[in-house]
């Protein structure tokens, strides 16, 4: 029975994970669009990883391209998201991650930064 459960779990996980870079880029873009529906707010963002709390995404991990958008602009965009969902008019910077290079689907790498923001203090 345990073996059957393990095999079933592995099959489910394998079905959800894709090694196709184009499919991965589409999933990342769908998440970005979900949080930032305006096309202008999507500019310069490589990944948005929402963290749910209280029935909505109250915290966000964002990886953005430093040569396309500033940290202050990312905070401003996230503040607008927070205002629409909580009434709080400012996002709080919780942590900065390390600087890195993120590959695009075309294989080129771009300098990126990672930050965690919250709609609550």
């Amino acid at each position: 029975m345990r073996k059957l459960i393990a095999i079933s779990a592995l099959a489910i996980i394998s079905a959800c994970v894709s090694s196709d870079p184009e499919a991965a880029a589409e999933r990342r873009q769908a998440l970005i669009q979900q949080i930032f529906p305006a096309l202008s707010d999507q500019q310069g963002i490589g990944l948005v990883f929402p963290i749910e709390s209280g029935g909505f995404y109250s915290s966000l991990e964002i990886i953005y391209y430093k040569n396309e958008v500033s940290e202050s602009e990312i905070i401003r965009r996230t503040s607008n998201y927070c205002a629409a969902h909580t009434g709080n008019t400012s996002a709080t910077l919780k942590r900065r991650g390390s600087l890195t290079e993120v590959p695009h689907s075309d294989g080129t790498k771009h300098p990126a930064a990672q930050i965690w923001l919250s709609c609550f203090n």
Side-chain angles (χ1 to χ4, degrees), residues 31-50:
L31 272 174
I32 292 168
Q33 289 173 348
Q34 182 179 358
I35 301 300
F36 301 111
L39 190 58
S40 60
D41 287 342
Q42 298 170 24
Q43 178 66 32
I45 296 177
L47 175 70
V48 173
F49 185 76

Side-chain angles (χ1 to χ4, degrees), residues 62-119:
I62 300 176
I63 296 176
Y64 64 95
Y65 303 114
K66 293 181 64 67
N67 58 345
E68 295 180 31
V69 65
S70 67
E71 180 180 285
S72 61
E73 176 62 15
I74 294 295
I75 292 171
R76 185 197 65 78
R77 293 175 190 177
T78 305
S79 294
N80 291 338
Y81 166 82
C82 292
H85 290 87
T86 68
N88 291 343
T89 57
S90 64
T92 303
L93 177 64
K94 292 298 185 178
R95 184 164 75 100
R96 287 183 180 93
S98 59
L99 299 178
T100 186
E101 286 190 334
V102 176
H104 281 225
S105 57
D106 64 4
T108 60
K109 291 186 177 184
H110 296 266
Q114 179 180 29
I115 57 175
W116 285 263
L117 298 163
S118 174
C119 291

Side-chain angles (χ1 to χ4, degrees), residues 11-53:
I12 290 169
I13 292 170
S14 296
C16 295
V17 177
S18 171
S19 61
D20 178 12
E22 287 299 320
E26 288 173 12
R27 285 192 306 275
R28 286 191 302 271
Q29 189 59 37
L31 272 174
I32 292 168
Q33 289 173 348
Q34 182 179 358
I35 301 300
F36 301 111
L39 190 58
S40 60
D41 287 342
Q42 298 170 24
Q43 178 66 32
I45 296 177
L47 175 70
V48 173
F49 185 76
I51 301 163
E52 186 177 353
S53 176

